[in-house]
Amino acid sequence: MAAAPGRRLPAALLCAALCLGAALAVDRSNFKTCEQSGFCRRQRGLSPGHSPYRALLESLQLGPDAARIQLINEATKVPLLLELWGLQGNMTRIRIKELNPLRPRFEVPDVLVGEPPVERLAVTGRDEGSLELSLGPAGHRLLVTEKPFRMDLLQGRELLCSVNACGLLFFEHLRQRRDSFSDKLSSSVGSLWDKIKTLFHRDTPREPTAEEGAAAEGQDEAAGGTEEAGDQSEKPTETTAEAAEEPGSWEETFKTHTDTKPNGPTSVGLDFSLPGFEHVYGIPEHAESLRLRTTEGGDPYRLYNLDVFQYELYNPMALYGSVPLLLAHSARRTLGIFWLNAAETWVDISSNTAGKVRGRGWGHRGGAIGVLTPPFRCWQTLFGKLLDYMQGGGETPQTDVRWMSESGIIDVFLLLGPAPAAVMGQYAALTGTQALPPLFALGYHQSRWNYNDEEDVAAVEKGFEEHAVPCDVLWLDIEHADGKRYFTWDPSKFPRPRAMLEQLAAKKRKMVSIVDPHIKVDSGYRVHAELRSRGFYVKTKDGSDYEGWCWPGSAAYPDFTNPEMRAWWASMFAYDQYEGSTETLFTWNDMNEPSVFSGPEVTMHKDAVHYGGWEHRDVHNLYGLYVQMATAEGQIQRSGGQHRPFVLSRAFFAGSQRYGAVWTGDNTAEWEHLKISIPMCLSFGLAGLAFCGADVGGFFKNPDAELLVRWYQAGALQPFFRAHAHMDTARREPWLFGEDNAALIRGAVRLRYALLPFWYTAFYHSHRHGVPIMRPLWMEYPEDTTTFAIDDQYLIDRALLVHPVTEQGARGVQVYLPGKGEVWYDTVSYQKHHAPQTLYVPVTMSSVPMFQRGGTVVPRQERVRRSTECMQGDPFTLYVALSPQGTAEGDLFLDDGKSFDYETKARFLHRQFTFAGNTLTASSADPRGSFDTPVWLERVVILGAGKPGAVILQPANGSETRLDFQHEAEPPVLTVRKPGVRMGDDWAIVLR
């Protein structure tokens, strides 16, 4: 929930909230642009093409696991250490840090699941100005050029990626502060000074920054000879970087907030050139199309977790979460760049084809754009030009990506694919896979800010019963707590929380309550008193507990970077600590960017101090991950390690997928917000966050009936399915828009429940292999260029293609069916369509265009009941969609739906279904698993099958039984009734 008017707040807090935007639109003035972010401005001011850095190749140290080479900035004389690893699984790691820093620099912990196993490196070539390293058995080679420093990664004769080809390596070394007039100016005065200088020097060159001066020096040396760097560990001289520092380097003011910078400027940056790539994706969260646009004419994409009030669409502004993973895709291969840095980060994207294609510029939608000036332009060494010649000459499409972070080190992983699924697996090997959720979490969730009291909860639950709409979870927002003191209940509204939870559990339903990481400052509040006494709060730069304004009023913020604090937080979810809680109560972590209404950009001051003495600027994007991590651990601990948690988090970072679900935040009841939910969740999935959804109906404003119905239809086909709304909106439970619309919503929800076996199996695939559940078409059809920019339709796993209706008054949609030589079946009419083609599909209000891929088997449970738990013993139907070759395959994962026994005790079934030679067979896909379940096969529907003379069941004991069947000729569909075999048994059904 973003800070917004309408909440019941203390006067001072209400004023702060109103400052975030009195109208229902984002107030951009509350959030920085690149020009207002000092380090981004400094880095963007660096001229590309002339790097001041030289690789001291004679310093090479080649160990069994890594190569280490010193770099020198030939202007500042500051040495850096370059470390290189070839990693198993087709990955390369590059790390650059100071060789002799004045103090340690932050290196991101707890994101990688372990130290990645390495390949042995070898020197395979060397001359006066370059060095070639072999990175392992996959044939990758890294060419390190001495001056200017550059690296080129090749496989055979193919150049995959160049590093620092634009010459934009930027590393602000730690230094002692020098007293000077500009240092003593506040950032606001400095800004005024910049404007004055602009007025008087508009037509004359400004003084170069340290990096620009270094670049110029490097250019002069390149033209006039080579000068030795001197002592490799030489400290910077008095006349280099410090003398050229801009106002704001040691102190920066934004609006009324001053950021003291005791460590001075510490930003890092690096560019990557990707020849042959025109399409890049990822780096969520942005309300943006799936394919990222170039950043000419506007700001870079920003990664800085923020509570943004009613965010704008098609905008590079930062939102609630950040994953610094960018994917590049072409018909030849897929490649990923994972930039492991948790500080504020900006990402510039440039392309040599940007002005030659149709696209959108910042500030408008659609239309053609002319030739644009890129934010930076690369240059080529002689080696780069030679590679172009080797690869056939001509203008190769190229995308250049530049990363800029405020602090920390450069630590980057190149994920070399080459297939899309391989890149997903490589990222998962580094950061982990999507946690396998409890089965109930895949059902429908009903939420609102706020259900008023226990009577209101009971009435809503009864409404689902009376209107036959399945529902697994009811949610409580901040008003349920006693004065917004989390881990408590309002004694007048929720006097008997345990009884309320038990009543829901009797109907096989669960509840989620909100627990935010801002703690009301109240000496009588046990949670606050204990946090303060233990010293577990984030500190100010002066050492006192950091406090700011949030929903409770004055609030303090637990330091989740402290492992002791996280352990304490986890202990608070024990049943004897969280009074009134039961095993059916789960958790929602909101506002965990962290949101601070009174803070700069509605978040925590960057000079606040965390565990270990690190500044908030170093750890900012980790905060939300740590909140979700500690909460999930608390749920696991309360069950003695037996049960899987469910935690929804608004803020996230790389690795958050290991702890639960995420969503797209405080959206709006508008058609464009419905439409953007698709590319946003697709981007989340590409970044490992497979359990994603959007607030059905929109959080702000009131949807009309058409929009609400269409949103239910779309939301039912996204991984996380929850309706949620602002307290100032009209009530919108599914039955409140008339019976006709209630029936349409009921149909959408029931479709979700019928497909639960397929969804749960897709989650298992994601959990095991790191692949997205909701995935763009190009992941399955990587050579089909038509799919590269499609983001209004998608695949669920690999078998179902979905095109939700997202246009008001739509009478039809254009659906692209990919796959040369493949077929797709309409899941309602069973009509077969040959691919590839673009198909016009007429729609009515009941239509959800969905197609099953020929060659797949989709399991369903069609006896839909009130909740997932009620359906766990119900029989299954298999939908077998035949390929043109008459084959199909699919699988089904089954376990108890709630425990870790599938992992710790191998209590699961993973069944494989294969259709070939007119025979459907069932066998074990993983013989390690064993799970006793009575569930059985009720029906088999074979799409595209001819009429057989007989259908025979052959169980594992060798007997034969004739089965009843029905055949429809047009379109051809064979329905086999009641085979009656158990889903865990081996068997065959033969068409004769």
Side-chain angles (χ1 to χ4, degrees), residues 652-932:
F652 53 81
F653 190 64
S656 288
Q657 66 270 14
R658 305 197 299 265
Y659 305 108
V662 293
W663 92 107
T664 63
D666 297 341
N667 57 4
T668 303
E670 295 174 350
W671 287 93
E672 287 297 304
H673 275 261
L674 167 58
K675 186 180 302 183
I676 203 71
S677 70
I678 298 173
M680 288 182 76
C681 275
L682 287 171
S683 294
F684 281 38
L686 291 175
L689 300 165
F691 201 1
C692 168
D695 285 346
V696 170
F699 179 68
F700 293 111
K701 298 186 178 180
N702 293 300
D704 62 18
E706 182 188 4
L707 176 57
L708 186 66
V709 167
R710 291 302 192 195
W711 214 317
Y712 267 96
Q713 292 169 344
L717 296 170
Q718 293 178 358
F720 177 55
F721 183 25
R722 180 186 77 153
H724 185 51
H726 190 282
M727 70 186 312
D728 289 340
T729 63
R731 294 291 285 257
R732 60 170 86 145
E733 284 73 37
W735 51 87
L736 296 180
F737 286 73
E739 180 50 40
D740 289 347
N741 292 309
L744 293 170
I745 293 171
R746 183 185 304 114
V749 178
R750 289 176 66 85
L751 174 63
R752 169 63 169 226
Y753 278 74
L755 285 169
L756 278 173
F758 176 67
W759 279 108
Y760 196 53
T761 303
F763 267 88
Y764 183 72
H765 295 160
S766 182
H767 177 59
R768 285 296 183 219
H769 306 296
V771 291
I773 295 163
M774 177 179 173
R775 62 186 68 162
L777 271 58
W778 58 260
M779 272 207 68
E780 289 294 321
Y781 299 92
E783 298 180 6
D784 186 347
T785 57
T786 304
T787 68
F788 292 0
I790 291 177
D791 61 8
D792 56 358
Q793 62 181 71
Y794 55 92
L795 293 165
I796 305 174
D797 202 75
R798 58 179 294 272
L800 294 181
L801 185 151
V802 179
H803 191 310
V805 180
T806 60
E807 296 283 350
Q808 185 174 17
R811 297 187 177 183
V813 296
Q814 298 281 353
V815 178
Y816 180 68
L817 301 175
K820 186 176 181 180
E822 294 195 26
V823 293
W824 294 85
Y825 297 86
D826 187 302
T827 58
V828 175
S829 70
Y830 303 146
Q831 186 68 47
K832 180 169 68 175
H833 302 278
H834 290 269
Q837 67 163 308
T838 297
L839 181 69
Y840 178 78
V841 181
V843 298
T844 66
M845 280 303 298
S846 63
S847 297
V848 186
M850 183 164 65
F851 298 83
Q852 183 173 342
R853 185 179 185 178
T856 65
V857 178
V858 171
R860 297 194 187 199
Q861 282 180 298
E862 298 190 320
R863 297 186 186 183
V864 174
R865 304 183 192 274
R866 70 161 67 100
S867 70
T868 55
E869 189 175 343
C870 293
M871 296 171 60
Q872 281 193 273
D874 285 348
F876 285 75
T877 296
L878 296 180
Y879 281 78
V880 181
L882 298 184
S883 71
Q885 294 75 37
T887 61
E889 62 179 8
D891 61 336
L892 171 68
F893 177 77
L894 292 170
D895 72 342
D896 62 19
K898 63 180 181 180
S899 78
F900 287 105
D901 285 358
Y902 76 95
E903 193 168 57
T904 60
K905 301 178 181 179
R907 291 192 65 244
F908 69 90
L909 289 177
H910 190 191
R911 305 296 296 165
Q912 178 74 28
F913 306 109
T914 303
F915 189 96
N918 284 328
T919 301
L920 176 65
T921 59
S923 59
S924 176
D926 188 345
R928 295 173 303 170
S930 174
F931 181 59
D932 187 22

Side-chain angles (χ1 to χ4, degrees), residues 490-529:
D490 186 301
S492 61
K493 298 177 181 177
F494 296 91
R496 300 189 309 126
R498 181 177 292 275
M500 173 181 65
L501 291 167
E502 289 171 350
Q503 289 167 8
L504 286 174
K507 297 289 187 67
K508 311 299 185 185
R509 292 189 167 114
K510 315 293 191 292
M511 176 166 276
V512 168
S513 64
I514 197 167
V515 179
D516 287 349
H518 49 259
I519 303 301
K520 184 178 179 66
V521 175
D522 175 359
S523 60
Y525 176 25
R526 178 176 67 92
V527 174
H528 166 69

Side-chain angles (χ1 to χ4, degrees), residues 205-229:
R206 61 176 171 82
E207 285 295 310
T209 66
E211 296 280 344
E212 289 174 324
E217 181 174 330
Q219 181 181 14
D220 291 343
E221 291 180 8
T226 303
E227 181 179 340
E228 291 300 321

Side-chain angles (χ1 to χ4, degrees), residues 421-698:
V423 173
M424 298 292 96
Q426 289 154 4
Y427 179 69
L430 296 174
T431 67
T433 63
Q434 177 65 56
L436 182 65
L439 180 60
F440 81 84
L442 305 190
Y444 171 63
H445 300 248
Q446 179 69 39
S447 182
R448 179 176 178 79
W449 176 34
N450 203 85
Y451 287 118
N452 301 321
D453 49 33
E454 292 175 3
E455 290 72 23
D456 197 7
V457 169
V460 172
E461 194 277 333
K462 184 179 179 182
F464 281 98
E465 287 290 299
E466 292 177 344
H467 294 89
V469 178
C471 178
D472 264 81
V473 194
L474 296 182
W475 290 53
L476 294 179
D477 210 317
I478 58 176
E479 310 300 335
H480 86 276
D482 183 9
K484 302 177 181 65
R485 297 170 180 86
Y486 304 110
F487 299 103
T488 72
W489 304 83
D490 186 301
S492 61
K493 298 177 181 177
F494 296 91
R496 300 189 309 126
R498 181 177 292 275
M500 173 181 65
L501 291 167
E502 289 171 350
Q503 289 167 8
L504 286 174
K507 297 289 187 67
K508 311 299 185 185
R509 292 189 167 114
K510 315 293 191 292
M511 176 166 276
V512 168
S513 64
I514 197 167
V515 179
D516 287 349
H518 49 259
I519 303 301
K520 184 178 179 66
V521 175
D522 175 359
S523 60
Y525 176 25
R526 178 176 67 92
V527 174
H528 166 69
E530 192 162 347
L531 282 164
R532 176 156 287 179
S533 68
R534 291 172 178 260
F536 281 165
Y537 280 130
V538 177
K539 307 300 180 186
T540 68
K541 64 181 184 295
D542 301 317
S544 59
D545 288 345
Y546 179 91
E547 294 182 10
W549 284 96
C550 209
W551 294 130
S554 182
Y557 291 77
D559 185 0
F560 284 88
T561 68
N562 182 345
E564 290 185 37
M565 206 298 299
R566 294 199 301 273
W568 176 88
W569 181 269
S571 73
M572 289 300 297
F573 290 90
Y575 301 127
D576 61 348
Q577 295 295 315
Y578 191 168
E579 186 177 353
S581 65
T582 72
E583 66 177 11
T584 60
L585 180 68
F586 297 86
T587 312
W588 172 17
N589 293 147
D590 200 7
M591 314 295 285
N592 55 336
E593 294 75 25
S595 179
V596 184
F597 295 165
S598 55
E601 301 193 89
V602 203
T603 194
M604 190 172 285
H605 291 71
K606 288 183 174 180
D607 54 10
V609 180
H610 288 264
Y611 173 76
W614 298 111
E615 287 189 289
H616 186 69
R617 82 181 73 253
D618 300 312
V619 305
H620 176 85
N621 286 342
L622 286 172
Y623 192 87
L625 175 145
Y626 278 135
V627 175
Q628 191 179 25
M629 175 194 295
T631 303
E633 182 59 31
Q635 289 186 15
I636 294 170
Q637 287 180 10
R638 75 180 186 183
S639 70
Q642 293 298 307
H643 293 161
R644 309 197 295 259
F646 172 73
V647 183
L648 178 72
S649 176
R650 189 171 70 177
F652 53 81
F653 190 64
S656 288
Q657 66 270 14
R658 305 197 299 265
Y659 305 108
V662 293
W663 92 107
T664 63
D666 297 341
N667 57 4
T668 303
E670 295 174 350
W671 287 93
E672 287 297 304
H673 275 261
L674 167 58
K675 186 180 302 183
I676 203 71
S677 70
I678 298 173
M680 288 182 76
C681 275
L682 287 171
S683 294
F684 281 38
L686 291 175
L689 300 165
F691 201 1
C692 168
D695 285 346
V696 170

Side-chain angles (χ1 to χ4, degrees), residues 172-235:
E172 294 181 316
H173 64 277
L174 294 166
R175 65 203 72 173
Q176 298 292 342
R177 182 169 185 170
R178 290 169 44 89
D179 289 329
S180 68
F181 175 69
S182 61
D183 288 329
K184 295 176 181 177
L185 289 172
S186 70
S187 179
S188 57
V189 174
S191 178
L192 179 60
W193 178 242
D194 286 341
K195 293 177 182 178
I196 293 172
K197 288 194 294 182
T198 300
L199 288 172
F200 284 93
H201 300 283
R202 190 176 302 274
D203 299 319
T204 59
R206 61 176 171 82
E207 285 295 310
T209 66
E211 296 280 344
E212 289 174 324
E217 181 174 330
Q219 181 181 14
D220 291 343
E221 291 180 8
T226 303
E227 181 179 340
E228 291 300 321
D231 184 357
Q232 295 175 4
S233 61
E234 185 178 352
K235 296 294 183 183

